[in-house]
């Protein structure tokens, strides 16, 4: 860094600190970062370099000294929180685990915050030093080796890109699952963590210590991330920018049932406790795996600096084939005695560091911007780029999300833009190269009218997106609502985009109910239709009449109502009449339905045209009431049944049957469970627990006999 005066450095330090605090807030609290990790790290490095030049300017609350916090401070609380963080989570000390925080009455009293109990970490939850340079990694190893008598063993591990979690097991049972929070205290999200299949509530028999903590990362595999975002897009909600944000957002949901649907996973990589009986970190993790805890099969112990760099080189490209996001490699001194001697700085351990992979970026000119209207009327700006190779594909288009994002980037047509592909399928523009801005670069004209039907666009106050409000007259929206209605998870009608286009363009369908009026003669007269395809299509329409009520609710396309919400509604409101009469207030009393969703549902049912549609669909014989609510018998009255494994019908339907026969379907086996209803491949933990507690295990046939089916 070139020479800089002290007063200029002070100003820059202040500006960078403020900026980094804001980015920390966007990342940890809002789960919506506006710059890439790489850009963040560059700014952090600049701040570190300035502070190294002028150590007297280092403030205790500098972002270089404190870890980012995922706790959302109330505005008036923010100042106090920052002051508390300024004390730093740990003092400079020598221990293999950070010194336990002193337990004062104030710190031990659990406080309610954003719906979760706040718990003070027994050992502060620190961060890791990081670098993007292999030379730095070599230097890190060489320095420690020079000071400690030669080549050392390192545990080389993937750096999982998720949310840090601290699990506590007491007598083999999971008692607490706490987020990093501000490093000193975090939120207890135990109920949500218990829905993650790979995390055992009870450890396998073994010689586990009576109490220990194990830390790791909760992440969302790409597959779960893609389907969550697809659903979000479908219901007109802003998709998550990447799997990490999706994992963080999911973990803090108020409803564990919803969390269970999110497909989260976990890997654990750091054990802590008093007098743990292990000589090395890898032994501790091996033991954890033997007790049934999820650990990474990709970790390896390697000797010497060069072997560490070889591990990095090996995974640099191969990691792209992993089913989850990783953003680097973590290396840890394997010897726990040596870890103890090396100790911690205020922010991170001296016995570990991270090498971060640079995200692949491409720099390319922005040719134009298209504005696309989706099914729910949301407008998405899409950038058309000069085609450029990136991570094995040629990128031509990238999402610009919304107007706020465009303003933030201050993007102009003709600009050279940086494109990145993270975990997400659609590449995104992360920055504009201002040095290459052409003189004639033009500010884009954000449309005020729907590009499809010309209706003035509206913007909801609380959302960043613009919408075309012409739901019933905008051709794109109408056609998209047919595609959604016919989709597999909705009515499962054999009609894709091309068929809908054809039927719509010929004027054969305008309203969803028109589908049920189509005749074989009409269809046979159309281009490309044969007898067989007509019959299949009509048969699928017939079948759709027995699709359960919850799927009908989903199919009609109420904004913000995805599959999960539709299910919740069908449970809470046994038929369409009760649902359509519910006020926004009543709806928001329903568990998992927030005020925005409630208002959207109530508004939908206030519209005369929608009510007419419901009537027409009812006339055509679609399901307008919950079957599960129908009381079929009292055969299972007072019985609490846990369902596990694969059955001839879906698990949801099985639970519906339990309830229809007077029983209760519960999630986990306890002393109060009457039966474990086990299908094919039931969960090991559930079977074991039922056996331990003497809970009767029954199969599908026995169950069907019990309910006289
Ligand atoms: S060890 C004392 N190992 O990366 C710090 N952390 O950027 C112990 N992370 O805070 C952390 N994969 O949330 C460790 N294999 C791994 C990791 C890992 C991901 C996270 C963790 C950490 C952050 C630092």
């Amino acid at each position: 860094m070139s020479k800089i005066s002290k007063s200029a450095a002070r100003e820059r330090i202040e500006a960078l600190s403020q900026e980094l605090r804001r980015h920390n807030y966007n990342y940890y609290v809002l789960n919506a970062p506006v710059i890439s990790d790489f850009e963040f790290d560059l700014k952090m490095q600049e701040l570190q370099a300035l502070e190294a030049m002028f150590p007297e300017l280092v403030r205790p609350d500098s972002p270089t000294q404190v870890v980012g916090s995922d706790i959302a401070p109330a505005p008036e609380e923010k100042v106090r929180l920052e002051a508390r963080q300024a004390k730093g989570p740990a003092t400079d000390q020598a221990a293999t685990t950070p010194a336990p925080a002193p337990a004062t009455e104030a710190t031990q009293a659990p406080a309610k915050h954003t719906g979760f109990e706040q718990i003070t970490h027994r050992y502060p939850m620190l961060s890791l030093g990081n670098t993007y340079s292999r030379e730095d990694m070599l230097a890190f190893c060489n320095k420690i080796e020079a000071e400690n008598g030669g080549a050392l063993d390192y545990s080389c591990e993937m750096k999982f890109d998720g949310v840090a979690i601290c699990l506590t097991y007491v007598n083999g049972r999971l008692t607490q699952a706490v987020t990093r929070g501000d490093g000193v205290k975090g939120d207890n999200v135990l109920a949500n963590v218990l829905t993650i299949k790979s995390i055992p509530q009870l450890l396998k028999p073994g010689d586990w210590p009576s109490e220990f903590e194990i830390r790791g990362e909760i992440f969302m595999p790409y597959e779960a991330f893609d389907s969550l975002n697809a659903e979000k897009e479908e219901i007109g909600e802003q998709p998550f920018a990447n799997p990490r944000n999706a994992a963080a957002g999911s973990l803090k949901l108020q409803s564990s049932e919803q969390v269970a649907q999110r497909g989260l996973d976990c890997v654990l990589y750091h054990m802590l406790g008093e007098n743990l009986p292990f000589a090395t970190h890898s032994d501790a993790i091996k033991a954890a795996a033997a007790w049934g805890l999820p650990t990474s099969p990709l970790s390896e112990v390697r000797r010497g600096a060069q072997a560490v760099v070889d591990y990095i080189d090996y995974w640099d490209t191969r990691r792209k084939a992993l089913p989850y996001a990783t953003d680097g490699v973590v290396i840890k001194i394997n010897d726990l005695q040596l870890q103890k001697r090396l100790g911690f700085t205020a922010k991170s351990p001296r016995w570990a560091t991270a090498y971060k992979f640079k995200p692949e970026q491409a720099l390319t000119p922005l040719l134009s911007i298209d504005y696309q209207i989706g099914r729910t009327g949301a407008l998405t700006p899409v950038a058309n780029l000069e085609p450029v190779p990136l991570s094995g594909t040629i990128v031509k288009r990238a999402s610009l999300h919304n107007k706020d994002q465009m303003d933030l980037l201050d993007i102009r047509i003709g600009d050279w833009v940086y494109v990145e592909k993270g975990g997400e399928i659609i590449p995104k523009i992360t920055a504009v190269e201002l040095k290459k801005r052409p003189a004639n670069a033009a500010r884009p004209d954000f449309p005020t009218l729907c590009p499809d039907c010309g209706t003035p666009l509206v913007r909801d106050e609380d959302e960043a997106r613009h919408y075309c409000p012409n739901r019933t007259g905008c051709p794109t929206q109408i056609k998209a609502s047919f595609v959604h209605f016919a989709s597999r998870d909705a009515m499962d009608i054999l009609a894709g985009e091309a068929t809908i286009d054809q039927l719509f363009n010929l004027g054969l369908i305008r309203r969803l109910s028109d589908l049920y009026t189509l005749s074989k003669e009409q269809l046979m007269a159309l281009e490309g239709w044969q007898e067989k395809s007509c019959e299949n299509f009509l048969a699928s329409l017939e079948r759709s009449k027995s699709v359960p009520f919850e799927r009908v609710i989903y199919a009609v396309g109420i904004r913000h109502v995805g599959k999960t919400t539709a299910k919740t509604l069908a449970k809470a409101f046994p038929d369409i009449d009760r649902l359509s009469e519910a006020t926004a207030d009543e709806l928001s009393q329903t568990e998992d339905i927030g005020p925005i969703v409630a208002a959207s549902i109530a508004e939908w049912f206030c519209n005369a045209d929608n009510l007419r549609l419901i009537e027409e669909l009812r006339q055509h014989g679609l399901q307008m009431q919950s079957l599960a609510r129908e009381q079929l018998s009292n055969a299972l009255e007072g019985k609490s049944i846990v369902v596990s494994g694969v059955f001839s019908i879906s698990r949801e339907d099985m639970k519906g049957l339990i309830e229809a026969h007077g029983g209760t379907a519960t999630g986990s086996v306890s002393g109060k469970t009457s039966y474990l209803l086990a299908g094919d491949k039931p969960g090991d933990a559930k079977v074991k627990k039922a056996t331990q507690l003497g809970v009767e295990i029954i199969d599908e046939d026995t169950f069907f006999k019990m309910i006289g089916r």
Side-chain angles (χ1 to χ4, degrees):
M1 187 179 282
S2 52
K3 276 229 161 87
I4 178 169
S5 73
K6 188 165 172 181
S7 66
R10 181 178 288 120
E11 241 173 65
R12 183 74 188 137
I13 286 176
E14 186 50 33
L16 279 168
S17 301
Q18 267 188 27
E19 203 185 336
L20 287 166
R21 270 189 216 112
R22 189 158 46 80
H23 290 310
N24 262 335
Y25 185 78
N26 289 336
Y27 183 92
Y28 285 110
V29 179
L30 303 182
N31 294 318
V34 291
I35 60 170
S36 68
D37 287 5
F38 183 57
E39 289 166 287
F40 179 92
D41 290 333
L42 285 182
K43 288 182 199 294
M44 183 68 95
Q45 277 168 19
E46 186 187 344
L47 180 60
Q48 274 162 346
L50 284 169
E51 290 182 345
M53 262 192 265
F54 300 97
E56 65 279 21
L57 296 183
V58 181
R59 288 173 40 157
D61 64 344
S62 163
T64 60
Q65 306 298 308
V66 296
V67 300
S69 168
D70 66 32
I71 299 173
E76 74 280 9
E77 211 189 340
K78 209 170 165 199
V79 181
R80 279 186 283 129
L81 182 75
E82 275 165 9
R84 246 196 328 267
Q85 278 183 346
K87 287 185 197 149
T91 46
D92 211 2
Q93 62 194 308
T96 166
T97 49
T104 66
E105 247 182 57
T107 57
Q108 285 307 307
K112 280 269 176 204
H113 199 111
T114 57
F116 296 106
E117 178 194 11
Q118 271 194 21
I119 290 191
T120 299
H121 290 295
R122 184 159 184 192
Y123 312 100
M125 239 172 135
L126 304 182
S127 177
L128 280 175
N130 72 57
T131 173
Y132 287 86
S133 126
R134 284 169 168 69
E135 288 69 44
D136 284 355
M137 290 303 276
L138 283 170
F140 174 88
C141 300
N142 288 337
K143 181 166 178 274
I144 300 184
E145 293 188 359
E147 289 165 1
N148 291 280
L152 292 169
D153 281 346
Y154 301 91
S155 175
C156 304
E157 308 173 4
M158 296 314 293
K159 183 165 170 355
F160 299 89
D161 199 6
V163 192
I165 192 77
C166 176
L167 308 180
T168 303
Y169 281 87
V170 179
N171 297 325
R173 173 185 287 273
L174 181 61
T175 55
Q176 234 171 247
V178 184
T179 64
R180 181 206 304 277
D182 59 7
V184 179
K185 59 183 179 338
D187 288 331
N188 188 7
V189 289
L190 178 64
N192 288 350
V193 162
L194 281 171
T195 68
I196 300 174
K197 291 197 187 76
S198 53
I199 300 180
Q201 188 178 14
L202 291 179
L203 296 179
K204 285 185 182 167
D207 51 358
W208 22 260
S210 58
E211 180 163 354
F212 68 96
E213 288 188 8
I214 188 151
R215 294 178 176 178
E217 209 79 357
I218 288 180
F219 60 91
M220 187 176 284
Y222 288 133
E223 206 183 325
F225 171 71
D226 290 344
S227 74
L228 173 64
N229 263 1
E231 192 180 338
K232 281 202 162 278
E233 296 261 23
E234 271 227 13
I235 59 173
E237 279 182 13
Q238 190 81 15
F240 282 111
N242 56 49
R244 193 215 85 92
N245 298 332
S250 302
L251 200 60
K252 294 259 178 130
L253 285 170
Q254 297 297 323
S255 150
S256 303
E257 230 172 73
Q258 263 185 342
V259 181
Q261 320 262 337
R262 292 281 171 103
L264 293 174
D265 205 341
C266 177
V267 64
L268 300 169
Y269 47 62
H270 187 200
M271 198 189 292
L272 302 96
E274 302 300 308
N275 305 319
L276 294 179
F278 305 107
T280 63
H281 161 74
S282 54
D283 282 350
I285 296 303
K286 228 182 271 162
W291 304 334
L293 291 164
T295 59
S296 170
L298 311 179
S299 302
E300 274 177 45
V301 176
R302 296 207 169 188
R303 175 158 291 211
Q306 188 52 48
V308 164
V309 174
D310 291 346
Y311 182 89
I312 292 172
D313 288 340
Y314 181 86
W315 283 109
D316 199 351
T317 48
R318 284 178 182 83
R319 74 188 177 100
K320 289 175 195 145
L322 294 172
Y324 44 76
T326 54
D327 59 344
V329 160
V330 177
I331 62 155
K332 301 170 184 167
I333 300 283
N334 201 30
D335 180 340
L336 293 178
Q337 281 297 329
L338 183 52
Q339 279 195 10
K340 195 170 179 170
R341 278 215 303 280
L342 292 167
F344 297 83
T345 69
K347 203 179 162 184
S348 50
R350 291 203 186 87
W351 43 262
T353 193
Y355 172 86
K356 288 179 82 171
F357 299 121
K358 258 193 207 122
E360 275 181 273
Q361 281 192 328
L363 187 60
T364 190
L366 168 68
L367 304 176
S368 61
I369 299 175
D370 285 343
Y371 297 90
Q372 294 178 345
I373 289 285
R375 173 177 71 82
T376 53
L379 183 89
T380 309
V382 180
N384 293 309
L385 307 167
E386 181 73 51
V388 63
L390 178 66
S391 311
T393 55
I394 303 287
V395 174
K396 298 186 194 120
R397 284 158 78 77
S399 169
L400 277 163
H401 299 297
N402 52 48
K403 184 166 189 308
D404 284 356
Q405 178 71 8
M406 286 168 59
D407 291 347
L408 205 74
L409 292 167
D410 185 24
I411 202 163
R412 318 265 170 104
I413 311 292
D415 264 339
W416 285 72
V417 293
Y418 288 100
V419 201
E420 255 180 44
K421 247 204 247 174
E424 48 284 40
I425 337 160
I426 311 162
K428 61 177 180 204
I429 293 179
T430 52
V432 170
E433 181 48 272
L434 292 175
K435 287 190 208 114
K436 283 173 97 89
R437 173 165 283 173
N440 61 350
R443 272 219 169 79
D445 286 326
F446 198 87
T448 52
L449 305 178
C450 169
D452 201 21
C453 69
T455 305
L457 296 172
V458 291
R459 182 186 162 148
D460 284 358
E461 259 170 42
D462 47 355
E463 285 182 52
R465 285 190 161 192
H466 285 72
Y467 288 88
C468 165
N470 184 16
R471 298 255 6 221
T472 49
C474 179
T476 311
Q477 289 187 63
I478 302 175
K479 282 193 261 181
S481 69
F482 272 102
V483 173
H484 169 76
F485 183 81
S487 65
R488 234 173 114 167
D489 292 337
M491 304 308 289
D492 199 10
I493 297 166
L494 286 178
E497 235 166 277
T499 307
I500 298 295
D501 250 5
Q502 185 189 32
L503 297 173
F504 184 86
N505 294 343
L506 290 168
L508 292 173
I509 53 170
R510 281 292 176 269
R511 309 169 51 71
L512 293 175
S513 49
D514 293 342
L515 280 171
Y516 294 92
T517 63
L518 295 169
S519 68
K520 189 169 170 187
E521 292 67 45
Q522 266 177 320
L523 295 168
M524 284 293 282
L526 306 181
E527 205 187 314
W529 289 77
Q530 261 107 48
E531 180 136 17
K532 193 78 203 149
S533 49
C534 288
E535 280 169 6
N536 287 344
F537 173 72
L538 291 170
S540 73
L541 275 169
E542 235 4 78
R543 271 199 311 273
S544 76
K545 295 179 183 169
S546 41
V547 154
F549 179 44
E550 64 196 44
R551 277 167 57 188
V552 178
I553 302 178
Y554 170 64
V556 294
I558 306 168
R559 202 167 143 214
H560 297 303
V561 176
K563 281 174 271 182
T564 320
T565 309
K567 231 181 240 174
T568 309
L569 290 172
K571 251 197 212 165
F573 298 90
D575 58 48
I576 197 80
D577 297 322
R578 288 202 234 167
L579 177 60
S580 66
E581 282 158 13
T583 61
D585 255 9
E586 271 171 73
L587 286 157
S588 55
Q589 309 279 312
T590 314
E591 208 188 334
D592 303 342
I593 308 272
I596 294 177
V597 183
S600 162
I601 300 166
E603 195 185 311
W604 197 89
F605 282 105
C606 273
N607 179 310
D609 207 52
N610 292 335
L611 293 176
R612 185 156 69 91
L613 171 69
I614 293 291
E615 246 354 273
E616 289 161 357
L617 294 177
R618 196 203 301 259
Q619 293 302 321
H620 286 296
L622 271 65
Q623 298 298 321
M624 293 294 170
Q625 62 183 38
S626 285
L627 285 180
R629 274 295 168 121
E630 237 174 78
Q631 207 52 48
L632 299 175
S633 82
N634 289 330
L636 302 174
E637 192 157 341
K639 302 277 187 256
S640 153
I641 304 179
V642 175
V643 177
S644 180
V646 183
F647 300 90
S648 62
I649 59 174
S650 79
R651 260 208 302 274
E652 279 315 303
D653 287 344
M654 209 48 136
K655 289 182 190 166
L657 277 177
I658 295 175
E659 275 158 23
H661 288 274
T664 345
T666 53
S668 53
V669 180
S670 73
K672 291 189 191 134
T673 308
S674 318
Y675 305 108
L676 171 63
L677 171 52
D680 216 20
K681 300 204 188 90
D684 280 352
K686 288 203 171 90
V687 173
K688 189 178 284 168
K689 195 148 178 219
T691 318
Q692 271 171 6
L693 296 172
V695 171
E696 189 178 343
I697 303 178
I698 55 171
D699 63 8
E700 179 172 322
D701 284 349
T702 316
F703 173 74
F704 282 159
K705 272 189 207 125
M706 285 164 95
I707 59 169
R709 201 173 132 127

